[in-house]
Amino acid sequence: MNAIGHIKGELHVEQVALSQVAERYGTPCYVYSRAAITAAYRAFEGAFGARKHLICFAVKANSTLGVLNVLARLGSGFDIVSGGELARVMAAGCDPRKVVFSGVGKSAEEMQQPLMAEILCFNVESEGELARLDAVAARTGRTAAVSLRVNPDVDPRTHPYIATGLKENKFGIPFDDAPALYRRARDLRNIRIAGIGCHIGSQITAAAPFVAALDKLLELVDRLQAEGIALAHIDIGGGLGIRYRDESPPAVADYARALIACLGNRPLQLMLEPGRALVGLAGVLLTRVEYLKHGREKNFAVVDAAMNDLLRPALYDAWHEVRPVRAGSGGARYEIVGPVCETGDFLARDRDLDLREGDLLAVMAAGAYGMSMSSNYNTRPRAAEVMVDGGEMHLVREREAVSELMAREMLLP
């Protein structure tokens, strides 16, 4: 769905001009399309159709309550990686029976509330975690449903920082160790085995790595079944990529078709944890040009957004398209940089743009890992966030004030 585009020469999100958003809420500002999020979610639902499945949005991709609420209203489940994310999805109106809890470092305190809320499943990533979860479940008088996150040692062919399913990664249980840990789980009084899962990485642009990982998991499913350990679900994780520049990720329908064919007639519920694929293309970071600096070597457009607002370019050297809100012609080649005191503070490099001081720019495909990775570096308040719904805009996060950043600090006596 193309919910973001130019209308009469001006960039809009659905029916709202981004200049109107800037006038009302200022910049920098994240702007999301409700229609685009809805369309992306329904594409997943439609692709898996009658096959028993559950889509659990990866909250780490975008944990803003307004975004989570849109997905909760659509019936989405949620994949969380912290106690704080559980609090967020509960506040957004999610059904706790559709929540899976992933992550390598769950504390005892973080385990208690999900147990009391009776979430769907804990994705266990180590023998130590399994023992701790059993003990916490005993203290709370609950039984913990678990799925072991297995590391299948499959190369996702993505950036090394977001590859998570290789032997050298910190995530998951080594493939060869999984059967013994399932036997251990079977003997624990406060543990109920529910499923098996993996997550091999993010921004994956081919179906083959997912199929390879699923094939390896199914080997384990069949071995466990032969030992009398029956599983109810199989979780293939998330990681399906989006197009930022020239990537060609598979269509959701093709991705679903490949997974369903691999599963065959097994009566397992298929679980998925998409994040970027649901929200990445639905958001833009709106920013304003403060200064233009023309030099012999480079030209710089200094904007009011920075690496603390959108970390991906500095962290991964990630590419985001940058569009002027009002289309122009001609121009010069610019580095799009922010005001943070780091040479690595850039949003885009070598972009041909027709710019003037005061112009508005939209950094595209910023709906995932934008606001959720933002910080207050250089004591910069985090951006406002706006959800557009047709011709209406709704503020879903107020811009922070500097006073709020210091509210929990104190001077020495």
Side-chain angles (χ1 to χ4, degrees), residues 280-333:
L281 296 175
V284 303
L285 174 59
L286 182 61
T287 184
R288 189 179 295 277
V289 177
E290 297 282 6
Y291 302 103
L292 296 178
K293 295 177 65 175
H294 297 280
R296 292 182 179 178
E297 299 296 326
K298 289 182 179 292
N299 299 314
F300 296 94
V302 183
V303 299
D304 60 4
M307 64 185 292
N308 75 292
D309 299 299
L310 181 63
L311 185 58
R312 294 189 71 253
L315 182 61
Y316 305 128
D317 200 25
W319 194 96
H320 286 261
E321 182 185 3
V322 176
R323 294 189 193 177
V325 169
R326 290 192 173 93
S329 59
R333 179 159 294 187

Side-chain angles (χ1 to χ4, degrees), residues 82-380:
S82 72
E85 287 190 349
L86 175 65
R88 281 188 167 274
V89 299
M90 297 292 281
C94 85
D95 180 351
R97 294 168 297 180
K98 293 182 177 180
V99 172
V100 295
F101 192 175
S102 305
V104 299
K106 305 176 188 75
S107 68
E109 291 73 21
E110 285 182 306
M111 292 174 174
Q112 291 178 24
Q113 187 57 39
L115 282 165
M116 299 304 293
E118 299 183 338
I119 68 167
L120 176 62
C121 186
F122 287 82
N123 288 340
V124 171
E125 303 210 23
S126 67
E127 184 176 3
E129 181 188 336
L130 182 65
R132 176 180 289 178
L133 182 57
D134 180 59
V136 175
R139 290 199 301 270
T140 57
R142 294 289 196 274
T143 298
V146 304
S147 170
L148 299 191
R149 174 175 172 176
V150 177
N151 187 324
D153 194 30
V154 168
D155 186 355
R157 308 172 199 169
T158 189
H159 191 286
Y161 286 8
I162 51 178
T164 59
L166 296 168
K167 285 182 179 178
E168 61 264 30
N169 299 139
K170 69 179 181 179
F171 300 98
I173 294 157
F175 185 86
D176 292 337
D177 296 347
L181 196 54
Y182 269 105
R183 296 182 201 111
R184 170 68 176 146
R186 179 176 55 185
D187 295 336
L188 294 175
R189 295 183 60 184
N190 305 288
I191 296 295
R192 177 176 62 83
I193 296 172
I196 190 170
C198 71
H199 178 67
I200 59 173
S202 186
Q203 185 52 17
I204 302 169
T205 56
F210 295 108
V211 172
L214 184 53
D215 275 336
K216 293 199 74 172
L217 286 189
L218 290 172
E219 288 180 31
L220 279 177
V221 169
D222 293 342
R223 288 170 59 186
L224 293 168
Q225 180 72 37
E227 294 186 29
I229 299 174
L231 305 176
H233 75 251
I234 189 164
D235 187 340
I236 195 61
L240 184 64
I242 62 173
R243 183 182 178 91
Y244 287 101
R245 187 179 189 180
D246 53 9
E247 303 91 337
S248 298
V252 174
D254 294 335
Y255 162 77
R257 193 176 300 113
L259 296 182
I260 291 170
C262 191
L263 280 169
N265 295 323
R266 292 178 177 86
L268 294 164
Q269 180 182 32
L270 177 62
M271 293 173 57
L272 308 105
E273 300 167 0
R276 187 191 318 263
L278 293 183
V279 298
L281 296 175
V284 303
L285 174 59
L286 182 61
T287 184
R288 189 179 295 277
V289 177
E290 297 282 6
Y291 302 103
L292 296 178
K293 295 177 65 175
H294 297 280
R296 292 182 179 178
E297 299 296 326
K298 289 182 179 292
N299 299 314
F300 296 94
V302 183
V303 299
D304 60 4
M307 64 185 292
N308 75 292
D309 299 299
L310 181 63
L311 185 58
R312 294 189 71 253
L315 182 61
Y316 305 128
D317 200 25
W319 194 96
H320 286 261
E321 182 185 3
V322 176
R323 294 189 193 177
V325 169
R326 290 192 173 93
S329 59
R333 179 159 294 187
Y334 288 96
E335 306 285 295
I336 311 299
V337 301
V340 160
C341 290
E342 297 281 351
T343 302
D345 177 28
F346 66 93
L347 301 180
R349 289 174 160 161
D350 295 327
R351 304 303 172 86
D352 293 321
L353 296 165
D354 180 20
L355 297 180
R356 292 163 185 76
E357 292 180 359
D359 282 356
L360 291 169
L361 298 176
V363 183
M364 307 300 290
Y369 303 104
M371 190 64 186
S372 64
M373 295 179 75
S374 65
S375 75
N376 297 122
Y377 188 44
N378 283 193
T379 311
R380 285 173 52 84

